[in-house]
């Protein structure tokens, strides 16, 4: 358990998940953490797309920010000398980035936001130089807004975290999954900053091990007491009475409050409910997809078998074994105690509460 | 899905999990599978104890058989020339073996059975040569009875397996976890041998990966269609409608039907119940511990942090991170649809049905 008065270092300030630099987009390479802290420089939008696809950068909000920057980078490097050529190239860029990963809606949200700005500038017959500048500024604004949203939702969510208990989290919804500060981990950071005595139980999150590799690393850097367990242990600890609540992030939230998030989230939600432990989802509004009625319509990415049969290049299963590797699952809204956003905390009935939230200005 | 008429090769006949040889006890080294199929020769009872402790041999019935053989080996190698010295040494041997792993009751069951035989021979003032022979014969009998029990319980359980659906299993309750044929996997083998069209979804079972390394290997060798998934995917697939039932083994079953089994079993049981999928436990009578009222009293082994932070020697978590590593959990009897034993299938109320089963001759 955390002692009172722990002052977490601000990982959000010390590790930059995504950064726009004169040479290109600089990403902390999340495939190498925690063994190696190396940065990847994406010099073209194709390299940005590959970084998203290969999960060098991952986490729904981080993917959105990275895609926005990828668009700005692509337009900056465009050889187009007239607007029609630029439009064609813009479409090429956005299609390439949209094809990287299907589930996290923040990717499509960021692409739409950048596209709307681009279309407006085209209508206004802005110069190519102006378009470049405006897109770079917009991508930077999306990054800054994401950090601000995380800090705001952290503040709203902090009151939900019980004092003196353990918080369970799955995957990594931290500074590494966002432009900084984090969603689920932002809520935990805010609770601790507000004086609460909290420790964290991090599920390792097979197959990609975001919990073992990223959440454990990020919270350890912040001095937040964290214990790592296998996903198979979630039920045992939720049954033990020591867990005050579960907080996770989200990749897409449907209009009825169904939540697509990292594979394993649904299991944790069911086990939490069965044991009377509140289950909270922390996500910015950019993760809401109110055009989709329920989780059943959310596309679930299937990833390579090798993520399951090998760990860090070491084979753990017999050659030739069949594998399923869905990267996400859907948690029906009936298991979700509350959704924490930058505009406040909403509860069931989500169809009404989410719509109302989205309509607020 | 399996095609009809698949004839599984009998792993039980081709892989010998445990074998008494003139040089010592020969075990397939389950730490190295599936990458290397190597055998470990334990030349002393201390080496047998270390093989159990390090999980070169694992699985509740296999541990029981191995311990019985370890006792016979220890007595064979004893330098004692009188019965009092042999008695002292016998106690040393059984205490060493009993201290290896606390949860699987088959270990203590086998030690008690060998001890009762030994005590009887001591009372009858049998010669040391006779004691050696009788103990070796008894250990061999325990091995043969275990295979027979698995085949019998497989036969009883086969009728519970729905035709044309997928069976989910956790950990390895197969030929490798027993003297041969397997408990949970024995039920699946019997269902297929009886003409049912069944395929298997094997949970990888972190941290020790018995599902990925052992169940996948064993079923693949038998030609039984098997798909490997991470533990985090259990809920997603139980919710999908494709799973006909779950079948797992057990390390200890209390009088009220509570089941201690590999960590993660409780989670699967809750998720199965939530989705209306039957959850079956397959175990021989040697796994029943009717002296224990409920699962709350079953000691849960805590294992080394390195099993969680490293996989096959590759580090997957930051240095210095705290870890919990309970090797087992307890599934309350309310989640157990039926318990499959060599004397038949029993259902709730387990307090009555298990006692009745045990009293049968």
């Amino acid at each position: 358990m955390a002692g009172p008065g722990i002052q977490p270092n601000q990982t959000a300030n010390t590790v930059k998940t995504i950064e726009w630099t004169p040479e290109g987009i600089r990403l902390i390479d999340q495939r190498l953490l925690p063994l190696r802290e190396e940065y990847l420089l994406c010099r073209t939008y194709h390299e940005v797309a590959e970084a998203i696809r290969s999960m060098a950068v991952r986490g729904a909000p981080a993917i959105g920010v990275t895609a926005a920057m990828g668009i700005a980078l692509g337009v900056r490097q465009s050889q187009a000398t007239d607007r029609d050529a630029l439009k064609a190239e813009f479409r090429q860029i956005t299609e390439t980035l949209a094809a990287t990963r299907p589930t996290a809606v923040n990717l499509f949200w960021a692409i739409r936001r950048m596209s709307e700005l681009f279309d407006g500038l085209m209508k206004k017959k802005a110069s190519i130089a102006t378009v470049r500048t405006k897109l770079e500024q917009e991508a930077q604004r999306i990054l800054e807004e994401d950090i601000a949203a995380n800090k705001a939702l952290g503040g709203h969510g902090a009151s939900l975290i019980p004092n003196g208990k353990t918080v369970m989290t799955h995957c990594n919804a931290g500074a590494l999954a966002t432009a900084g500060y984090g969603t689920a981990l932002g809520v935990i950071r805010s609770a601790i900053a507000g004086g609460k005595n909290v420790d964290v139980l991090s599920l390792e999150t097979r197959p990609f091990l975001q919990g073992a590799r990223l959440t454990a690393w990020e919270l350890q850097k912040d001095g937040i007491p964290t214990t790592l367990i296998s996903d198979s242990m979630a039920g045992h600890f939720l049954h033990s009475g020591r867990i005050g609540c579960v907080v996770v992030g989200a990749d897409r939230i449907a209009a009825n409050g169904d939540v697509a998030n990292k594979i394993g989230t649904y299991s944790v939600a069911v086990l939490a409910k069965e044991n009377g432990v509140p289950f909270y989802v922390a996500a910015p509004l950019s993760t809401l997809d109110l055009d989709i009625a329920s989780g059943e319509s959310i596309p679930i990415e299937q990833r390579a078998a090798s993520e399951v049969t090998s760990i860090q290049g070491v084979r753990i299963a017999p050659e030739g074994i069949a594998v399923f590797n869905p990267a996400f699952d859907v948690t029906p809204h009936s298991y979700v105690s509350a959704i924490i956003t930058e505009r406040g905390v909403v509860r069931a009935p989500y169809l009404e509460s989410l719509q109302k939230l989205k309509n607020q200005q």
Side-chain angles (χ1 to χ4, degrees), chain A:
Chain A
M1 289 290 172
I6 280 185
Q7 292 301 321
N9 315 314
Q10 294 292 315
T11 296
N13 297 331
T14 55
V15 174
K16 283 210 164 76
T17 307
I18 312 156
E19 197 178 4
W20 177 273
T21 77
E23 293 77 33
I25 296 161
R26 188 171 177 267
L27 303 168
I28 187 163
D29 192 336
Q30 303 195 29
R31 299 165 300 186
L32 306 179
L33 288 172
L35 300 187
R36 281 159 34 216
E37 188 173 332
E38 287 181 17
Y39 290 80
L40 183 70
L41 188 66
C42 301
R43 295 173 184 275
T44 66
Y45 78 87
H46 287 289
E47 288 180 6
V48 173
E50 184 50 30
I52 295 172
R53 193 178 297 113
S54 68
M55 295 173 71
V57 61
R58 33 61 54 198
I63 291 172
V65 171
T66 305
M69 290 202 169
I71 292 170
L73 180 66
V75 170
R76 184 166 75 167
Q77 295 179 332
S78 164
Q79 303 296 315
T81 51
D82 63 76
R83 272 191 294 274
D84 281 345
L86 187 64
K87 274 187 202 172
E89 202 163 345
F90 188 86
R91 189 155 65 189
Q92 180 72 39
I93 294 165
T94 54
E95 282 175 1
T96 300
L97 288 161
T100 51
R101 299 195 68 195
T103 304
V105 77
N106 313 59
L107 173 65
F108 308 104
W109 169 88
I111 291 171
R112 193 182 319 120
R113 181 161 154 178
M114 295 295 276
S115 298
E116 283 169 3
L117 174 65
F118 180 82
D119 292 346
L121 292 165
M122 287 296 105
K123 270 188 196 149
K124 283 195 271 179
K125 302 198 188 307
S127 72
I128 290 179
T130 301
V131 171
R132 285 184 176 139
T133 304
K134 294 280 186 191
L135 288 176
E136 284 181 30
Q137 287 170 346
E138 187 73 359
Q140 191 59 41
R141 198 173 297 125
I142 288 174
L143 181 146
E144 285 157 12
E145 285 176 13
D146 185 59
I147 297 175
N150 291 339
K151 291 196 169 165
L153 75 81
H156 293 305
S159 61
L160 298 175
I161 305 294
N163 191 28
K165 298 278 264 181
T166 300
V167 182
M168 179 179 281
T169 190
H170 186 57
C171 195
N172 172 267
L176 291 167
T178 61
Y181 202 67
T183 53
L185 300 193
V187 171
I188 293 170
R189 288 191 165 99
S190 291
I192 292 174
K196 281 188 179 163
N197 181 6
V198 165
D199 74 330
V200 178
L201 209 47
S202 171
L203 293 168
E204 69 174 8
T205 318
R206 278 280 289 149
F208 206 66
L209 293 167
Q210 290 94 334
R213 298 191 303 103
L214 308 178
T215 295
W217 179 80
E218 183 179 326
L219 294 179
Q220 194 185 48
K221 253 180 130 67
D222 260 16
I224 296 174
T226 303
T227 304
L228 175 65
I229 58 172
S230 304
D231 305 324
S232 58
M233 298 171 193
H236 177 75
F237 284 100
L238 283 164
H239 191 66
S240 73
R242 69 181 290 158
I243 312 296
C245 68
V246 177
V247 191
V248 297
D251 288 82
R252 193 186 295 219
I253 300 174
N256 69 346
D258 290 354
V259 174
N261 191 45
K262 182 50 52 195
I263 187 76
T265 302
Y266 164 69
S267 296
V268 175
V270 170
L271 289 159
K273 191 172 191 188
E274 186 77 359
N275 290 287
V277 176
F279 178 86
Y280 300 122
V281 174
L285 295 175
S286 56
T287 305
L288 294 183
D289 185 1
L290 302 192
D291 295 337
I292 241 172
S294 81
E296 282 170 34
S297 310
I298 298 176
I300 299 296
E301 178 183 10
Q302 306 292 324
R303 291 187 63 86
S306 58
E307 287 184 358
V308 174
T309 55
S310 296
I311 295 176
Q312 308 280 76
V314 177
R315 188 145 190 112
I316 58 153
E319 293 288 342
I321 195 78
V323 166
F324 293 130
N325 186 13
F328 303 94
D329 60 26
V330 173
T331 299
H333 57 85
S334 57
Y335 298 100
V336 179
S337 308
I339 298 175
I340 304 163
T341 78
E342 66 270 42
R343 286 194 191 150
V345 174
V346 297
R347 294 185 184 263
Y350 290 107
L351 201 59
E352 289 76 17
S353 61
L354 288 174
Q355 190 61 59
K356 199 173 149 195
L357 195 77
K358 189 95 174 195
N359 293 343
Q360 281 172 26
Q361 286 309 320

